[in-house]
């Protein structure tokens, strides 16, 4: 065994190197712990043939290895686990057939939740919860008054005869209104993150919900020179929490928009895949670095000057409440695709309401 293999076998994460055709070239010792298969039994076989968990298989089946990707999913095999899967395309390909083109890294994050670091992260979040809930709540009312008064003043000023002073006041009022509105959004984000999650699923037409989210965001997208292509297939009505999903979808759209400062193209696709819905939002914006992809779900992590770093957290909470997943596929300089997936649980009222059910 060479030194590198000894090193890889000492790591707690399952690591699998695959060829262009997804044939396993190498698997380290920890794949036994994370995937429940012996490393020796994997080499030479196609990766999907080695995966025993159906959910994981479904997640990885259609996944390519051309771009950096992180996703999290619950698996039942070898035991109940939350797995984080990272796909790392290898930059320097030798081009020879049978040479490695990508690494799949499987991390048991259910175990991670009990580490000191995440305990610290949770207590940080808990403290912030209490603090922000108080402060943000207090900020809401004065902010609303400021916005209202500025609106009124704007209307009064517009009636004054044209002058240089009038133009200057109008410009300043614009700044006051737009900055206060931004502040209001930040306060709302903090309040949402601070509130304990409530999950109230109702029968929902997801296609309509997506259309409504796009309609809300349309003016902002338009003003940013962003074109939207939407391919929304009807999805069977299912029990979903509309508020949580609306928040999640709008956050994904907003992040996509903010990643395209010079304008661009956003492609929104909604499909049914077995018993799941799959909503993907793709942008051709800045993409994200490996570091960002790693930290994207950390509370308060932001690369934006005016960001809160709470959007992804909100998306994650919403998807976890639906037993769903978020998949992020990103290439620096090329763009990002965020895919939300969750099971479409059918409402039981259908059964109760049917005439046979008397
Ligand atoms: P915020 O938007 O306030 O920065 P988020 O939690 O929504 O906070 O996002 C965290 C970070 O993830 C962003 O600052 C950005 O760096 C990155 N990010 C999220 N979505 C995208 C995207 N579509 N393209 C590029 N980077 C993104
Ligand atoms: Mg955001």
């Amino acid at each position: 065994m060479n030194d590198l293999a000894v090193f890889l076998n000492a790591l707690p994460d399952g690591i699998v190197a695959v060829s262009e055709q997804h044939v396993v070239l190498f698997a380290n010792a920890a794949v036994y712990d994370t995937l429940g298969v012996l490393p020796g039994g994997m080499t030479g076989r196609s990766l999907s043939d080695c995966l025993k968990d159906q959910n994981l298989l479904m997640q990885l089946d259609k996944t390519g290895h051309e771009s950096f990707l992180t996703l999290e999913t619950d698996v039942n095999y070898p035991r109940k686990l939350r797995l984080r899967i990272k796909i790392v395309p290898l930059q320097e390909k030798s081009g020879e057939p049978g040479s490695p083109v990508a690494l799949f890294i499987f991390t048991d994050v259910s175990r991670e939740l009990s580490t000191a670091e995440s305990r610290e992260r949770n207590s940080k979040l808990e403290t912030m919860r209490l603090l922000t809930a108080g402060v943000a709540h207090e900020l809401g009312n004065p902010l609303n008054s400021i916005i209202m008064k500025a609106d009124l003043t704007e209307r009064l000023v517009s009636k004054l005869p044209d002058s240089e002073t009038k133009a200057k006041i109008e410009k300043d009022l614009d700044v006051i209104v737009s900055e206060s509105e931004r502040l209001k959004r930040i306060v709302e984000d903090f309040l949402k993150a601070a509130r304990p999650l409530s999950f109230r699923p109702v029968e929902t037409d997801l296609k309509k919900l997506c259309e409504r989210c796009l309609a809300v965001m349309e003016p902002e997208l338009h003003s940013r020179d962003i074109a939207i292509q939407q391919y929304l297939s009807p999805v069977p009505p299912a029990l979903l929490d509309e508020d949580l999903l609306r928040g999640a979808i709008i956050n994904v759209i907003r992040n996509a928009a903010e990643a395209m400062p010079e304008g661009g193209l956003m492609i929104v696709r909604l499909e049914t895949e077995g018993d799941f819905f799959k909503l993907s939002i793709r942008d051709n914006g800045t993409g994200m670095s490996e570091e960002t992809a790693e930290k994207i779900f950390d509370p308060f992590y932001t690369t934006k000057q005016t960001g809160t770093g709470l959007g992804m957290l909100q998306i994650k909470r919403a998807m976890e409440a639906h037993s769903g997943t978020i998949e992020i596929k990103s290439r620096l300089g090329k763009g990002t695709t965020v895919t939300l997936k969750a099971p479409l649980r059918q409402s039981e009222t259908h059964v109760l309401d049917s005439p046979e059910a008397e």
Side-chain angles (χ1 to χ4, degrees), residues 189 251 254-255 258 304 308-312:
D189 269 5
N251 264 298
R254 184 164 287 140
N255 278 344
E258 284 165 354
K304 298 167 196 168
T308 56
L310 291 171
M312 290 307 301

Side-chain angles (χ1 to χ4, degrees), residues 4 8 15-20 22-23 25-26 64-69 86-95 98-105 290 331:
L4 183 61
L8 289 172
I15 298 175
V16 177
V18 297
S19 72
E20 188 71 46
H22 274 198
V23 172
L25 302 171
F26 171 85
H65 56 254
E66 293 78 20
S67 45
F68 189 87
L69 183 148
K86 257 169 72 170
I87 302 178
V88 185
L90 299 174
Q91 301 295 331
E92 286 166 38
K93 294 176 193 162
S94 68
S99 64
V101 297
L103 290 180
F104 284 68
I105 302 171
E290 205 162 311
R331 268 205 209 184

Side-chain angles (χ1 to χ4, degrees), residues 261-295:
E262 325 259 272
L265 174 66
M266 196 172 83
I267 303 175
V268 184
R269 201 179 287 275
L270 175 67
E271 297 162 311
T272 313
E273 218 179 64
D275 295 332
F276 286 68
F277 77 79
K278 180 171 149 188
L279 172 66
S280 69
I281 293 167
R282 177 173 171 182
D283 65 69
N284 60 356
T286 55
M288 55 187 100
S289 66
E290 205 162 311
E291 193 207 341
T292 300
E294 188 113 329
K295 297 198 175 144

Side-chain angles (χ1 to χ4, degrees), residues 4-47:
L4 183 61
V6 172
F7 172 70
L8 289 172
N9 280 333
L11 294 178
D13 298 341
I15 298 175
V16 177
V18 297
S19 72
E20 188 71 46
Q21 288 74 34
H22 274 198
V23 172
V24 176
L25 302 171
F26 171 85
N28 74 343
V31 293
Y32 184 66
D33 198 38
T34 44
L35 303 177
V37 272
L38 285 167
M42 289 184 79
T43 34
R45 292 168 64 198
S46 109
L47 179 59

Side-chain angles (χ1 to χ4, degrees), residues 224-245:
R224 287 169 177 269
D225 255 339
I226 294 167
I228 314 167
Q229 276 177 16
Q230 37 180 308
Y231 306 97
L232 305 176
S233 319
V235 165
L239 287 175
L240 302 167
D241 186 313
E242 290 199 15
D243 284 339
L244 286 180
L245 279 184

